[in-house]
Amino acid sequence: MKKRLLLFSLVLVACIALGSTSITAEAKSSPKVIEVGKDTKTISEAIEAAASGDTIIVPANVYKEQISINPDKSGITIKGDNGTVLDGSDIRPGRNTGSMVYINASNVTIENLEITGLYISKPSDKVAPIGIEVGEASCNVTISRCKIHDMGCKYKVDSEDYNAHGILVSSNPDDNKHPISNVEIYNCELYNLALGQSETIAINGFVKGFEISGNYIHDCDNIGIDAIGYEHSTKNKNDTAKRGSIHDNTIVNISSDPNSNVTYDSKCAGGIYVDGGQDIDIYDNFVMNCDIGIEVSCEHKGKNTRDINVTNNTLVNNDGYAGISIGGADRRNGTAVDCRFSRNTVLNSENSCVVVQNASDSTNIVENNLFIAANNAKIYSETLGRRSHGNTVKDNLANKNIQTGSNNQVINIDSVVVDDKNQVVTVETDAFITNNSSDSTILPGGVEE
């Protein structure tokens, strides 16, 4: 009897011990909320205290700090309240400390942070201020509802060695075995950025799987959104941003005007630019008053931009150069192949609705678009002779002769009214228009069947 009691006691103790261990393990793994100002003094301290699954709440305040999320902090979320500001005005960016937010981790969410004030005041080929940077082999990263503005370069001398980014997602395949993957950037606002030779949002190099949507990008002195290939290495086939979508963005007032950006000698900044990227869908965007509406090109000789679908975009008065630009700028650049442009409405008051540069492949198809050239603007231009010939241009509607391709039709347009607030273009025409314009085009006179 005593032996049975002893055995029962041992079993009971063992169960209690196991139960205690289980409860402790569960407690350790349960996600928790860490509030800056209450649980920690700084955001960096909150990140240090966080574990996978935890959420860091950052109350409205001005925080003069840079933050880093490294692999051991994968799985965390940082949420700002309205009025949460990361202010870099007292921070001097360095070669490895140029980012206000640096992410080298997986399953990370950054939400509702305002970032401003980080500048360089002299040229540098090593230092670039960055609002949010995603690096190394990060995956499943979400950046949403962030506001990045008034930062970048303070131009003091004429030099090409000025660079800055609002958001940079970049990986060099020579240094990393695995790509950055599954990155979402949505519902952010980026504006008043002095970018030098760089871009507002850049997806650069060894990146597979990205979505950029619902962002409002305006009043910056270089490219709005850029998907880049072969900038790290022209010899590594993995050095290209691919398998992405860029949609439902509003991009306004983007220009590399030399009067404001000393690193350029012409207006050539695209609202959306694919430079060596592959397998990317660009649709449902509204791009207005940029140097170029959408550019599909490659800057590296012997390389190309491939498999890009540009569909259902509304491009208005991108008069610095073109509404749509295809191919590298000159013979020393790369080309575009297997790129398709359809159901876009393109209105230009100067220069050309479409410019074809170093691109001459029948797999580049421009079809079923509505082109409107006001004043002395042209519908279609080729800049490099035979290097611009051979693309497929067909079944487009325009108010002037396209002078190339097949089955393109000239239609009469009585008036065009642009409502930039509601992002619609109203076109008065007596033509019957079928699948030749973006969904943001209103045709009160013509009928879209």
Side-chain angles (χ1 to χ4, degrees), residues 111-177:
E111 182 178 336
N112 202 30
L113 297 183
E114 182 176 347
I115 300 170
T116 189
L118 187 68
Y119 283 97
I120 55 170
S121 57
K122 62 181 181 180
S124 173
D125 61 355
K126 296 180 175 65
V127 179
I130 302 169
I132 301 175
E133 180 177 4
V134 181
E136 305 295 332
S138 301
C139 69
N140 301 328
V141 174
T142 299
I143 301 166
S144 70
R145 297 174 55 228
C146 291
K147 184 181 291 187
I148 303 173
H149 64 95
D150 295 283
M151 58 171 286
C153 308
K154 293 183 177 179
Y155 305 117
K156 299 292 180 67
V157 296
D158 286 345
S159 173
E160 292 186 358
D161 288 332
Y162 287 105
N163 290 278
H165 297 275
I167 299 174
L168 173 63
V169 180
S170 180
S171 179
N172 186 341
D174 290 342
D175 298 332
N176 297 287
K177 293 182 179 180

Side-chain angles (χ1 to χ4, degrees), residues 221 255-259 261 263-269 291 320-321:
D221 71 356
S255 179
S256 62
D257 186 341
N259 291 320
N261 187 336
T263 70
Y264 280 87
D265 57 12
S266 65
K267 295 180 179 181
C268 56
D291 297 335
Y321 188 64

Side-chain angles (χ1 to χ4, degrees), residues 41 82 133 261 311 398 419:
K41 291 183 179 180
N82 291 335
E133 180 177 4
N261 187 336
T311 307
D419 181 352

Side-chain angles (χ1 to χ4, degrees), residues 315-333:
L315 312 178
V316 176
N317 292 337
N318 299 293
D319 290 334
Y321 188 64
I324 293 173
S325 179
I326 307 170
D330 58 43
R331 292 170 174 84
R332 295 167 296 178
N333 293 149

